[in-house]
Amino acid sequence: MTKAELIAKVAEKSGLSKKDAEKATGALIDSIVESLVAEEKVQLVGFGTFEVHHREARKGRNPRTKEEITIPASAYPVFKAGKPFKDAVSK
């Protein structure tokens, strides 16, 4: 499902116009991203949890030159599905 298809589905199920559904969907996504950038956990009960995990800096190797390099530390988003969501998908 693409973002456009999601917006159309939200508009259909909620009775909103596509323009309003696009604003609502965009606001939801933007709010989740802003919270994760601020290192806040986002919990949507019955759906799941978004949070930021951190990866330490580590040593790696360039496969072409076999030269040792340092891979910098990074942060990455993680989503953990809630139980009702998992149960609905597994049926």
Coordinates of all heavy atoms in Angstrom, one line a residue:
M1 N 0.8 -1.2 0.0 CA 0.0 0.0 0.0 C 0.9 1.2 0.0 O 1.8 1.3 0.8 CB -0.9 0.0 1.2 CG -1.7 1.2 1.4 SD -2.8 1.2 2.9 CE -4.1 0.2 2.3
T2 N 0.6 2.1 -0.9 CA 1.4 3.4 -1.0 C 0.7 4.4 -0.1 O -0.4 4.2 0.5 CB 1.4 3.9 -2.4 OG1 0.1 4.3 -2.8 CG2 2.0 2.9 -3.4
K3 N 1.4 5.6 0.1 CA 0.9 6.6 1.0 C -0.5 7.1 0.4 O -1.4 7.4 1.1 CB 1.9 7.8 1.1 CG 1.5 8.8 2.1 CD 2.6 9.9 2.3 CE 2.1 11.0 3.2 NZ 3.2 12.0 3.4
A4 N -0.5 7.2 -1.0 CA -1.8 7.7 -1.6 C -2.9 6.7 -1.4 O -4.1 7.2 -1.2 CB -1.5 7.9 -3.1
E5 N -2.6 5.4 -1.5 CA -3.6 4.4 -1.2 C -4.1 4.5 0.3 O -5.3 4.3 0.5 CB -3.1 3.0 -1.6 CG -2.9 2.8 -3.0 CD -2.1 1.6 -3.4 OE1 -1.4 1.0 -2.5 OE2 -2.2 1.1 -4.5
L6 N -3.2 4.7 1.2 CA -3.5 4.8 2.6 C -4.4 6.0 2.8 O -5.4 5.9 3.5 CB -2.2 5.0 3.4 CG -2.5 5.2 4.9 CD1 -3.2 4.0 5.6 CD2 -1.1 5.5 5.6
I7 N -4.1 7.1 2.2 CA -4.9 8.4 2.3 C -6.3 8.1 1.8 O -7.3 8.5 2.4 CB -4.2 9.6 1.6 CG1 -3.0 10.0 2.4 CG2 -5.2 10.7 1.5 CD1 -2.1 10.9 1.7
A8 N -6.4 7.4 0.7 CA -7.7 7.1 0.1 C -8.5 6.2 1.0 O -9.7 6.4 1.2 CB -7.6 6.5 -1.3
K9 N -7.9 5.3 1.6 CA -8.5 4.3 2.6 C -9.0 5.1 3.8 O -10.1 4.8 4.3 CB -7.6 3.2 2.9 CG -8.2 2.1 3.7 CD -8.8 1.1 2.8 CE -8.2 -0.3 3.0 NZ -8.7 -1.2 2.0
V10 N -8.2 6.0 4.3 CA -8.5 6.8 5.5 C -9.7 7.6 5.2 O -10.7 7.8 6.0 CB -7.3 7.6 6.0 CG1 -7.8 8.6 7.0 CG2 -6.3 6.7 6.6
A11 N -9.7 8.3 4.0 CA -10.8 9.1 3.6 C -12.1 8.3 3.5 O -13.2 8.7 4.0 CB -10.5 9.8 2.3
E12 N -12.0 7.1 2.9 CA -13.2 6.3 2.8 C -13.8 5.8 4.1 O -15.0 5.9 4.4 CB -12.8 5.0 1.9 CG -13.9 4.0 1.7 CD -13.3 2.8 1.1 OE1 -12.5 2.9 0.1 OE2 -13.7 1.7 1.5
K13 N -12.9 5.4 5.0 CA -13.4 4.8 6.3 C -13.8 5.9 7.3 O -14.7 5.6 8.1 CB -12.3 4.0 6.9 CG -12.0 2.7 6.2 CD -11.2 1.8 7.1 CE -11.1 0.4 6.4 NZ -11.3 -0.7 7.3
S14 N -13.3 7.1 7.2 CA -13.6 8.1 8.1 C -14.7 9.1 7.6 O -15.2 9.9 8.4 CB -12.3 8.9 8.5 OG -11.9 9.7 7.4
G15 N -14.9 9.1 6.3 CA -15.9 10.0 5.8 C -15.3 11.4 5.6 O -16.0 12.4 5.2
L16 N -14.0 11.5 5.7 CA -13.3 12.8 5.4 C -13.1 12.9 3.9 O -13.0 12.0 3.2 CB -12.0 12.9 6.2 CG -12.0 12.9 7.7 CD1 -10.5 12.7 8.2 CD2 -12.6 14.1 8.2
S17 N -12.8 14.2 3.5 CA -12.4 14.4 2.1 C -11.0 13.9 2.0 O -10.3 13.7 3.0 CB -12.5 15.8 1.7 OG -11.5 16.6 2.4
K18 N -10.6 13.6 0.8 CA -9.2 13.1 0.6 C -8.2 14.2 1.0 O -7.1 13.8 1.6 CB -8.9 12.8 -0.9 CG -9.4 11.4 -1.3 CD -8.9 11.0 -2.6 CE -9.4 9.6 -3.0 NZ -8.9 9.2 -4.3
K19 N -8.5 15.4 0.8 CA -7.6 16.5 1.3 C -7.5 16.5 2.8 O -6.3 16.7 3.3 CB -8.1 17.9 0.8 CG -7.1 19.0 0.8 CD -7.5 20.0 -0.2 CE -6.3 20.9 -0.5 NZ -5.5 20.6 -1.6
D20 N -8.6 16.4 3.5 CA -8.5 16.3 5.0 C -7.8 15.1 5.5 O -7.1 15.1 6.4 CB -9.9 16.4 5.6 CG -10.6 17.8 5.4 OD1 -9.8 18.8 5.2 OD2 -11.8 17.9 5.5
A21 N -8.1 14.0 4.8 CA -7.4 12.7 5.2 C -5.9 12.8 4.9 O -5.1 12.3 5.7 CB -8.0 11.5 4.4
E22 N -5.5 13.5 3.9 CA -4.1 13.7 3.6 C -3.4 14.5 4.7 O -2.3 14.2 5.2 CB -3.9 14.4 2.2 CG -2.4 14.5 1.9 CD -2.3 15.1 0.5 OE1 -3.3 15.5 -0.2 OE2 -1.1 15.2 0.0
K23 N -4.1 15.6 5.1 CA -3.6 16.5 6.2 C -3.5 15.7 7.5 O -2.5 15.8 8.2 CB -4.6 17.6 6.5 CG -4.5 18.7 5.4 CD -5.4 19.9 5.8 CE -5.4 20.9 4.7 NZ -6.4 22.0 5.0
A24 N -4.5 14.8 7.8 CA -4.5 14.1 9.1 C -3.4 13.0 9.0 O -2.6 12.9 10.0 CB -5.9 13.4 9.3
T25 N -3.3 12.3 7.9 CA -2.2 11.3 7.8 C -0.8 11.9 7.9 O 0.1 11.4 8.6 CB -2.4 10.5 6.5 OG1 -3.7 10.0 6.4 CG2 -1.4 9.4 6.4
G26 N -0.7 13.0 7.2 CA 0.6 13.8 7.2 C 1.0 14.3 8.6 O 2.1 14.2 9.0
A27 N -0.1 14.8 9.3 CA 0.2 15.3 10.7 C 0.6 14.1 11.6 O 1.5 14.3 12.5 CB -1.1 16.0 11.2
L28 N 0.0 13.0 11.4 CA 0.3 11.8 12.3 C 1.7 11.4 12.0 O 2.5 11.2 13.0 CB -0.6 10.6 12.0 CG -0.3 9.3 12.7 CD1 -0.5 9.4 14.1 CD2 -1.1 8.2 12.1
I29 N 2.1 11.3 10.8 CA 3.5 10.8 10.4 C 4.5 11.9 10.9 O 5.5 11.5 11.5 CB 3.6 10.6 8.9 CG1 2.8 9.4 8.5 CG2 5.1 10.4 8.5 CD1 2.6 9.2 7.0
D30 N 4.2 13.2 10.7 CA 5.1 14.2 11.1 C 5.3 14.2 12.7 O 6.4 14.4 13.2 CB 4.6 15.6 10.7 CG 4.7 15.8 9.2 OD1 5.4 15.0 8.5 OD2 4.1 16.8 8.7
S31 N 4.2 14.0 13.4 CA 4.2 14.0 14.8 C 5.1 12.8 15.4 O 5.8 13.0 16.3 CB 2.8 13.9 15.4 OG 2.1 15.0 15.1
I32 N 4.9 11.6 14.7 CA 5.7 10.5 15.1 C 7.2 10.8 14.9 O 8.1 10.5 15.7 CB 5.3 9.2 14.4 CG1 3.9 8.8 14.9 CG2 6.3 8.1 14.6 CD1 3.3 7.7 14.1
V33 N 7.5 11.3 13.7 CA 8.9 11.6 13.4 C 9.5 12.7 14.3 O 10.6 12.5 14.8 CB 9.1 12.1 11.9 CG1 10.4 12.7 11.6 CG2 8.7 11.0 10.9
E34 N 8.8 13.7 14.6 CA 9.2 14.7 15.5 C 9.5 14.2 16.9 O 10.5 14.5 17.6 CB 8.2 15.9 15.6 CG 8.2 16.8 14.4 CD 7.0 17.8 14.5 OE1 6.4 17.9 15.5 OE2 6.7 18.4 13.4
S35 N 8.6 13.3 17.4 CA 8.8 12.7 18.7 C 10.1 11.8 18.7 O 10.9 11.8 19.7 CB 7.6 11.8 19.1 OG 6.5 12.7 19.3
L36 N 10.3 11.0 17.6 CA 11.5 10.2 17.6 C 12.8 11.0 17.5 O 13.8 10.6 18.1 CB 11.4 9.2 16.4 CG 10.3 8.1 16.5 CD1 10.2 7.3 15.3 CD2 10.5 7.3 17.8
V37 N 12.7 12.1 16.8 CA 13.9 13.0 16.7 C 14.2 13.5 18.1 O 15.4 13.7 18.4 CB 13.6 14.1 15.7 CG1 14.7 15.2 15.8 CG2 13.6 13.6 14.3
A38 N 13.2 13.8 18.9 CA 13.4 14.3 20.3 C 13.7 13.1 21.2 O 13.6 13.3 22.5 CB 12.2 15.1 20.7
E39 N 13.9 11.9 20.7 CA 14.2 10.7 21.5 C 13.1 10.3 22.4 O 13.3 9.7 23.5 CB 15.5 11.0 22.4 CG 16.7 11.3 21.6 CD 17.5 10.1 21.1 OE1 17.3 9.0 21.7 OE2 18.1 10.2 20.1
E40 N 11.8 10.6 22.0 CA 10.7 10.2 22.8 C 10.1 8.9 22.2 O 10.1 8.8 21.0 CB 9.6 11.3 22.8 CG 10.0 12.6 23.4 CD 9.0 13.7 23.2 OE1 8.0 13.5 22.5 OE2 9.3 14.8 23.7
K41 N 9.6 8.1 23.1 CA 8.9 6.9 22.6 C 7.5 7.2 22.3 O 6.8 8.0 23.0 CB 8.9 5.8 23.8 CG 8.4 4.5 23.3 CD 8.2 3.5 24.5 CE 9.4 3.1 25.2 NZ 9.2 2.0 26.2
V42 N 6.9 6.6 21.2 CA 5.6 6.8 20.8 C 4.8 5.5 20.9 O 5.1 4.5 20.2 CB 5.5 7.3 19.3 CG1 4.0 7.5 18.9 CG2 6.2 8.6 19.2
Q43 N 3.8 5.4 21.8 CA 3.1 4.2 22.0 C 1.7 4.4 21.6 O 1.0 5.3 22.0 CB 3.0 3.8 23.5 CG 4.4 3.3 24.0 CD 4.2 2.9 25.5 OE1 4.1 3.7 26.4 NE2 4.3 1.6 25.7
L44 N 1.2 3.6 20.6 CA -0.1 3.6 20.2 C -0.8 2.3 20.6 O -0.5 1.2 20.0 CB -0.2 3.7 18.6 CG 0.5 4.9 18.1 CD1 0.6 4.9 16.6 CD2 -0.2 6.2 18.5
V45 N -1.5 2.3 21.7 CA -2.1 1.1 22.3 C -2.9 0.3 21.3 O -3.7 0.9 20.6 CB -2.9 1.4 23.6 CG1 -3.5 0.2 24.2 CG2 -2.0 2.1 24.6
G46 N -2.6 -1.0 21.2 CA -3.3 -1.8 20.3 C -2.7 -1.9 18.9 O -3.0 -2.7 18.1
F47 N -1.7 -1.0 18.6 CA -1.0 -0.9 17.4 C 0.4 -1.3 17.5 O 0.9 -2.2 17.0 CB -1.2 0.4 16.7 CG -0.6 0.5 15.3 CD1 -1.1 -0.2 14.3 CD2 0.6 1.3 15.1 CE1 -0.5 -0.1 13.0 CE2 1.2 1.4 13.9 CZ 0.7 0.7 12.8
G48 N 1.2 -0.4 18.3 CA 2.6 -0.7 18.5 C 3.3 0.5 19.1 O 2.7 1.5 19.4
T49 N 4.6 0.3 19.2 CA 5.5 1.3 19.8 C 6.6 1.6 18.8 O 7.3 0.8 18.3 CB 6.1 0.7 21.1 OG1 5.0 0.4 22.0 CG2 7.0 1.8 21.8
F50 N 6.8 2.9 18.7 CA 8.0 3.4 17.9 C 9.0 4.0 18.9 O 8.6 4.7 19.8 CB 7.6 4.6 17.0 CG 6.6 4.2 15.9 CD1 5.2 4.3 16.1 CD2 7.0 3.8 14.7 CE1 4.3 4.0 15.1 CE2 6.1 3.5 13.7 CZ 4.8 3.6 13.9
E51 N 10.3 3.7 18.7 CA 11.3 4.2 19.6 C 12.6 4.3 18.8 O 12.7 3.7 17.7 CB 11.4 3.4 20.9 CG 11.8 2.0 20.8 CD 11.7 1.3 22.1 OE1 12.1 1.9 23.1 OE2 11.3 0.1 22.1
V52 N 13.6 5.0 19.4 CA 14.9 5.1 18.8 C 15.9 4.2 19.5 O 15.9 4.2 20.7 CB 15.4 6.6 18.9 CG1 16.8 6.7 18.3 CG2 14.4 7.5 18.1
H53 N 16.6 3.4 18.8 CA 17.7 2.6 19.3 C 19.0 3.2 18.8 O 19.1 3.9 17.8 CB 17.7 1.2 18.9 CG 16.6 0.4 19.6 ND1 16.5 -1.0 19.5 CD2 15.6 0.7 20.4 CE1 15.5 -1.4 20.2 NE2 15.0 -0.4 20.8
H54 N 20.1 3.0 19.6 CA 21.4 3.5 19.3 C 22.4 2.4 19.0 O 22.4 1.4 19.6 CB 21.9 4.4 20.4 CG 21.1 5.6 20.7 ND1 21.2 6.8 19.9 CD2 20.0 5.8 21.5 CE1 20.3 7.6 20.3 NE2 19.5 7.1 21.3
R55 N 23.2 2.7 18.0 CA 24.3 1.7 17.6 C 25.6 2.4 18.0 O 25.8 3.5 17.5 CB 24.2 1.4 16.1 CG 25.0 0.2 15.7 CD 24.7 -0.2 14.3 NE 23.4 -0.8 14.1 CZ 22.5 -0.5 13.2 NH1 22.7 0.4 12.3 NH2 21.3 -1.2 13.1
E56 N 26.4 1.7 18.7 CA 27.8 2.3 19.1 C 28.7 2.4 17.9 O 28.5 1.6 16.9 CB 28.4 1.4 20.1 CG 27.6 1.1 21.4 CD 27.9 2.1 22.4 OE1 29.0 2.7 22.4 OE2 27.0 2.4 23.3
A57 N 29.7 3.2 17.9 CA 30.7 3.3 16.9 C 31.5 1.9 16.9 O 31.6 1.3 18.0 CB 31.7 4.4 17.1
R58 N 31.9 1.5 15.8 CA 32.6 0.2 15.8 C 33.6 0.1 14.6 O 33.5 0.9 13.7 CB 31.6 -1.0 15.6 CG 30.7 -0.9 14.4 CD 29.5 -1.8 14.5 NE 28.7 -1.9 13.3 CZ 27.9 -1.0 12.8 NH1 27.7 0.1 13.4 NH2 27.3 -1.2 11.7
K59 N 34.4 -0.9 14.7 CA 35.4 -1.0 13.6 C 34.8 -1.9 12.5 O 34.1 -2.8 12.8 CB 36.7 -1.8 14.2 CG 37.4 -1.0 15.3 CD 38.2 0.1 14.7 CE 38.9 0.8 15.8 NZ 39.3 2.2 15.5
G60 N 35.2 -1.6 11.3 CA 34.7 -2.4 10.2 C 35.9 -2.5 9.2 O 37.0 -2.0 9.5
R61 N 35.6 -3.1 8.1 CA 36.7 -3.3 7.1 C 36.1 -3.0 5.7 O 35.0 -3.4 5.4 CB 37.1 -4.7 7.1 CG 38.5 -4.9 6.5 CD 39.1 -6.3 6.8 NE 39.6 -6.4 8.2 CZ 40.7 -5.8 8.6 NH1 41.5 -5.2 7.8 NH2 41.0 -6.0 9.9
N62 N 36.8 -2.2 4.9 CA 36.4 -1.9 3.6 C 36.7 -3.2 2.8 O 37.8 -3.6 2.7 CB 37.3 -0.7 3.0 CG 36.9 -0.4 1.6 OD1 36.4 -1.2 0.9 ND2 37.2 0.9 1.3
P63 N 35.6 -3.7 2.2 CA 35.8 -5.0 1.5 C 36.7 -4.9 0.2 O 37.3 -5.9 -0.2 CB 34.4 -5.4 1.1 CG 33.5 -4.2 1.3 CD 34.2 -3.3 2.2
R64 N 36.8 -3.7 -0.4 CA 37.6 -3.6 -1.6 C 39.1 -3.5 -1.2 O 39.9 -4.2 -1.8 CB 37.3 -2.3 -2.3 CG 36.3 -2.5 -3.4 CD 36.2 -1.3 -4.3 NE 34.9 -1.4 -4.9 CZ 34.2 -0.4 -5.5 NH1 34.7 0.8 -5.4 NH2 33.1 -0.7 -6.0
T65 N 39.4 -2.7 -0.2 CA 40.8 -2.4 0.1 C 41.3 -3.2 1.3 O 42.5 -3.2 1.6 CB 41.1 -0.9 0.3 OG1 40.3 -0.6 1.5 CG2 40.7 -0.1 -0.9
K66 N 40.4 -3.8 2.0 CA 40.7 -4.6 3.3 C 41.2 -3.6 4.4 O 41.7 -4.1 5.4 CB 41.7 -5.7 3.0 CG 41.3 -6.7 1.9 CD 40.1 -7.4 2.2 CE 39.9 -8.5 1.1 NZ 38.6 -8.6 0.7
E67 N 41.1 -2.3 4.1 CA 41.5 -1.3 5.1 C 40.5 -1.3 6.2 O 39.3 -1.3 6.0 CB 41.6 0.0 4.4 CG 42.0 1.2 5.3 CD 41.9 2.5 4.5 OE1 41.7 2.5 3.3 OE2 42.0 3.5 5.2
E68 N 41.0 -1.1 7.5 CA 40.1 -1.0 8.6 C 39.6 0.4 8.7 O 40.3 1.4 8.5 CB 40.9 -1.4 9.9 CG 40.0 -1.6 11.1 CD 40.7 -2.1 12.3 OE1 40.8 -3.3 12.4 OE2 41.2 -1.2 13.1
I69 N 38.3 0.5 9.0 CA 37.7 1.8 9.1 C 36.8 1.8 10.3 O 36.5 0.8 10.9 CB 36.7 2.1 7.9 CG1 35.6 1.0 7.7 CG2 37.5 2.2 6.6 CD1 34.6 1.3 6.7
T70 N 36.5 3.1 10.8 CA 35.6 3.2 11.9 C 34.2 3.6 11.4 O 34.1 4.6 10.7 CB 36.2 4.3 12.9 OG1 37.5 4.0 13.3 CG2 35.3 4.5 14.1
I71 N 33.3 2.8 11.8 CA 31.9 3.1 11.4 C 31.3 3.9 12.6 O 31.3 3.5 13.7 CB 31.1 1.8 11.3 CG1 31.7 0.9 10.2 CG2 29.6 2.0 11.0 CD1 31.2 -0.5 10.1
P72 N 30.8 5.1 12.2 CA 30.4 6.0 13.3 C 29.1 5.5 14.0 O 28.3 4.7 13.5 CB 30.1 7.3 12.6 CG 29.9 6.9 11.1 CD 30.7 5.7 10.9
A73 N 28.9 6.0 15.2 CA 27.7 5.7 16.0 C 26.5 6.2 15.2 O 26.6 7.2 14.5 CB 27.8 6.3 17.4
S74 N 25.3 5.6 15.4 CA 24.1 6.0 14.7 C 22.9 5.7 15.6 O 22.9 4.9 16.5 CB 24.0 5.4 13.4 OG 23.9 4.0 13.5
A75 N 21.8 6.4 15.2 CA 20.5 6.2 15.9 C 19.6 5.7 14.7 O 19.7 6.2 13.6 CB 20.0 7.4 16.5
Y76 N 18.7 4.8 15.1 CA 17.8 4.3 14.1 C 16.4 4.0 14.7 O 16.3 3.6 15.8 CB 18.4 3.0 13.4 CG 18.7 1.9 14.3 CD1 17.8 0.8 14.5 CD2 19.8 1.9 15.1 CE1 18.0 -0.2 15.3 CE2 20.1 0.8 15.9 CZ 19.2 -0.2 16.1 OH 19.5 -1.2 16.9
P77 N 15.3 4.2 13.9 CA 14.0 4.0 14.4 C 13.7 2.5 14.5 O 14.1 1.7 13.6 CB 13.1 4.7 13.5 CG 13.9 4.7 12.2 CD 15.3 4.7 12.6
V78 N 12.9 2.1 15.5 CA 12.4 0.7 15.6 C 10.9 0.7 15.9 O 10.4 1.6 16.6 CB 13.2 0.0 16.8 CG1 12.6 -1.3 17.1 CG2 14.6 0.0 16.6
F79 N 10.2 -0.2 15.3 CA 8.8 -0.4 15.5 C 8.6 -1.8 16.1 O 9.1 -2.8 15.6 CB 8.0 -0.2 14.3 CG 6.5 -0.5 14.5 CD1 5.7 0.4 15.1 CD2 6.0 -1.7 14.0 CE1 4.4 0.1 15.3 CE2 4.6 -2.0 14.2 CZ 3.8 -1.1 14.9
K80 N 7.8 -1.8 17.2 CA 7.5 -3.1 17.8 C 6.0 -3.2 17.8 O 5.3 -2.4 18.4 CB 8.0 -3.2 19.2 CG 7.7 -4.6 19.9 CD 8.3 -4.7 21.3 CE 7.9 -6.0 21.8 NZ 8.2 -6.1 23.3
A81 N 5.4 -4.2 17.1 CA 4.0 -4.3 16.9 C 3.4 -4.8 18.3 O 3.9 -5.6 19.0 CB 3.7 -5.4 15.9
G82 N 2.2 -4.2 18.6 CA 1.4 -4.6 19.8 C 0.7 -5.9 19.6 O 0.6 -6.4 18.5
K83 N 0.3 -6.5 20.7 CA -0.3 -7.9 20.6 C -1.6 -7.9 19.7 O -1.7 -8.8 18.9 CB -0.6 -8.3 22.0 CG -1.2 -9.8 22.0 CD -1.2 -10.3 23.4 CE -1.8 -11.7 23.5 NZ -2.0 -12.5 22.4
P84 N -2.5 -6.9 19.9 CA -3.7 -7.0 19.0 C -3.3 -6.9 17.5 O -3.9 -7.6 16.7 CB -4.5 -5.8 19.4 CG -4.1 -5.5 20.8 CD -2.6 -5.9 20.9
F85 N -2.3 -6.1 17.2 CA -1.8 -6.0 15.8 C -1.2 -7.3 15.3 O -1.6 -7.8 14.2 CB -0.8 -4.9 15.7 CG -0.3 -4.5 14.3 CD1 -1.1 -4.8 13.2 CD2 1.0 -4.0 14.2 CE1 -0.6 -4.4 12.0 CE2 1.5 -3.7 12.9 CZ 0.7 -3.9 11.8
K86 N -0.4 -7.9 16.1 CA 0.2 -9.2 15.8 C -0.9 -10.3 15.6 O -0.8 -11.1 14.7 CB 1.2 -9.7 16.9 CG 2.5 -8.9 16.9 CD 3.3 -9.5 18.0 CE 4.5 -8.7 18.3 NZ 5.3 -9.2 19.5
D87 N -1.8 -10.3 16.5 CA -2.9 -11.3 16.4 C -3.7 -11.1 15.2 O -4.1 -12.1 14.5 CB -3.8 -11.2 17.7 CG -3.1 -11.7 18.9 OD1 -2.0 -12.3 18.8 OD2 -3.6 -11.4 20.0
A88 N -4.0 -9.9 14.8 CA -4.8 -9.6 13.6 C -4.1 -10.1 12.3 O -4.7 -10.6 11.4 CB -5.2 -8.2 13.5
V89 N -2.8 -9.9 12.3 CA -2.0 -10.2 11.1 C -1.8 -11.7 11.0 O -1.8 -12.3 9.9 CB -0.6 -9.5 11.1 CG1 0.3 -10.0 10.1 CG2 -0.8 -8.0 11.0
S90 N -1.7 -12.4 12.1 CA -1.4 -13.8 12.1 C -2.7 -14.7 11.8 O -2.5 -15.9 11.7 CB -0.8 -14.3 13.4 OG -1.7 -14.2 14.5
K91 N -3.8 -14.1 11.8 CA -5.1 -14.9 11.5 C -5.2 -15.2 10.0 O -4.7 -14.6 9.2 CB -6.3 -14.1 11.9 CG -6.4 -14.1 13.4 CD -7.7 -13.4 13.8 CE -7.8 -13.3 15.3 NZ -9.0 -12.7 15.8

